[in-house]
Structures are given as structure tokens and as C-alpha cells.
Amino acid sequence: MNVILLSIIVLGTIGILGAAVLFVVARCFHVQEDPRIDSVEALLPGANCGGCGRSGCRDFAAACVKADTLDGLSCPSSSAETMKKIGEIVGLAAAVAKPKIAVIKCNGTCDLRPALARFEGAPSCSVLASLGSGSSACPNGCLGCGDCVASCPYGAMRMNHETGLPEVIEDKCVGCGVCAKSCSRSIIELRYKGPRGMRVYVACSNKEKGAQAMKECKAACIGCSKCVKVCTHEAVSVASNLSYIDFEKCKLCRKCVDVCPTHAIHAVNFPVKKAEGPKPEPATV
């Protein structure tokens, strides 16, 4: 028999037997998946950002279908209307979570925190952090290489080359938290977006004592506790020489902003306060 023909017959037989084995295995180990998972996944953004705490959008969809309640299951990238539709598909009441946004807890701009060194290696915050160094004296401030910008799946961050700090693009940020996870110094935090985008937070992560912190950055929190004393809602605390505002308790009164001597506390998206005019002189009789 022709060698080529024999080879074709042998290989063909092996292929048919292999296909038959795979068919039997597929039928024996087939797992019927709930078709609602596909319906829920189709409503999700597909970014697989992990902001929901799951490994990806399909994992989140499967968790929604299998859950007895949607409490604790929320996609930060999806609107309340989308979550409502997901609830209708799985037959559960959708949990409406308050929208969050990333904030940069550092205001050490180039003019406030001058560079003391220049790193010639790979422009990566993780590399600098592994070396235990940075371009400035602040041991807790932003390293300025933009790892957070590169990690954002929604293009909601950019580097400001004048200040040397990252900026959050508010209308694009969905509060997924990927940037916070990528930050080597943990200076990015997710906070409530607030009514009309208004929020108050401490734009500093320096934990040095007051005098040393001011040497390292002119905009550093010095742990003076003036903000704690003026807050009537117990929303402000000081630990390790650093002030922190609890966004769960903050009522946005901005008293802490007014008393901060270094302007380390930032108020965002508030209307501009009207300047008080001269008081009228008392009328003479």
C-alpha cells in the first residue's frame, strides 16, 4: 500500500477517535450555565476592572445570578438604572450604592515640594518605591511617575506636568479603585462623590511631625488638630501626625477648611463664597 495513503488513513483514524473521545467527555462533564448570566454580563461595561471585588464582569454576573440578595453586589462603573435592570433579570431588588470618586491625597506640587534628586531609571512608581526613594524629601508623597494613570481602564486620570501630580477627570472616573491599588504609596483614596460633586478631604499623606513635614512640603498637614476642634460632627481625627476626614460623617460645612493653617484640607466643587461687603455705618440722628 502507498505510504502516503497509509499515513492519511492512520492520521484520519486517530483524528476521528480523538474527536469521539472529546465529544463523550464534553457530554459527560458539561455544566449547564444559567442563561441569565449572559444577560447580566451584556449590561456590564466589560472593563474587568475589579472594582466590584470580583475577578471580572462575568464573575460579577454569575455572583448576581446565584445571590439571594444584591446587597454588597454593585458595579461602580454601572448606573443606578443598569443595576435596576440587573435586579429585574435576577428577580432581586438592586442595591443602590453612593457613587465614589478617586482623590489624590497629596498636594506636593513642584513649587511646594522641590525635587532634590533625579531618577534616571525606568519611570515607574513601583520601581522608585522598591528603592525606598523619590525625587523629593517627602517620604509619603506622590512619586509622580504616573502608574495610576497607566492603570486606569477608563482613561480618567492624567499627569499634570506643571505640578508633577496626577489629576482625576471627574466626568470619566467611575470609582473602580484600580488606580488606588496601583499606587505604591497608597495616596489615592475612593470617597463619596458628594452632592453635586462637593467633597472635603485632606490632600496630604505625610506622617512626619509638624516641623519636619513643613521642611519636606509647604502644603503638608502638621497635625495641629485645629480641624478636629472646630468640627461639630466628629468627622475629623488625627493619627500619626496626619489629619483624616471621615466621608461617612462629614456634613460638608467646611469649618475645617477655614482653620487649616497650611491649606492641606481641600474643598472641591463648592460655590465660591461671596465676599462680605463693608458694614453700613450706623445712622446719625
Side-chain angles (χ1 to χ4, degrees), residues 12-233:
T13 304
I14 293 174
I16 293 171
L17 290 174
V21 170
L22 290 174
F23 175 77
V24 173
V25 170
R27 291 300 297 266
C28 292
F29 294 96
H30 174 69
V31 178
Q32 184 65 37
E33 199 170 39
D34 195 319
R36 294 179 298 173
I37 295 177
D38 292 329
S39 301
V40 173
E41 186 183 17
L43 294 173
L44 299 173
N48 297 315
C49 62
C52 59
R54 301 283 169 171
S55 61
C57 290
R58 187 159 188 85
D59 187 28
F60 175 77
C64 290
V65 170
K66 296 175 183 177
D68 296 324
T69 174
L70 291 182
D71 291 343
L73 287 171
S74 179
C75 172
S77 309
S78 300
S79 64
E81 184 62 29
T82 299
M83 289 304 301
K84 183 180 178 181
K85 290 180 180 178
I86 292 174
E88 292 173 354
I89 292 173
V90 300
L92 298 170
V96 180
K98 292 182 180 179
K100 290 186 176 181
I101 191 170
V103 298
I104 313 298
K105 297 192 298 181
C106 177
N107 192 40
T109 58
C110 297
D111 55 334
L112 297 174
R113 187 182 57 148
L116 302 179
R118 186 175 64 183
F119 182 64
E120 296 290 351
S124 168
C125 297
S126 58
V127 172
L128 278 174
S130 66
L131 297 174
S133 63
S135 61
S136 71
C138 181
N140 306 107
C142 177
L143 291 166
C145 295
D147 286 13
C148 52
V149 176
S151 70
C152 181
Y154 298 98
M157 298 190 75
R158 63 188 170 214
M159 288 300 299
N160 185 322
H161 297 292
E162 292 185 4
T163 63
L165 297 172
E167 294 178 341
V168 177
I169 305 173
E170 294 197 17
D171 58 349
K172 292 184 178 181
C173 180
V174 300
C176 67
V178 173
C179 57
K181 294 175 184 176
S182 70
C183 181
S184 303
R185 285 189 167 175
S186 302
I187 68 164
I188 302 178
E189 180 189 17
L190 292 183
R191 299 178 68 90
Y192 287 153
K193 203 165 187 176
R196 298 184 298 282
M198 297 185 296
R199 54 195 175 275
V200 177
Y201 64 96
V202 180
C204 180
S205 299
N206 195 322
K207 297 180 180 179
E208 303 284 352
K209 291 184 178 180
Q212 181 61 30
M214 287 301 291
K215 289 180 181 179
E216 295 168 351
C217 178
K218 299 301 181 184
C221 171
I222 58 176
C224 65
S225 295
K226 287 185 177 180
C227 49
V228 178
K229 295 174 183 177
V230 77
C231 182
T232 57
H233 307 290

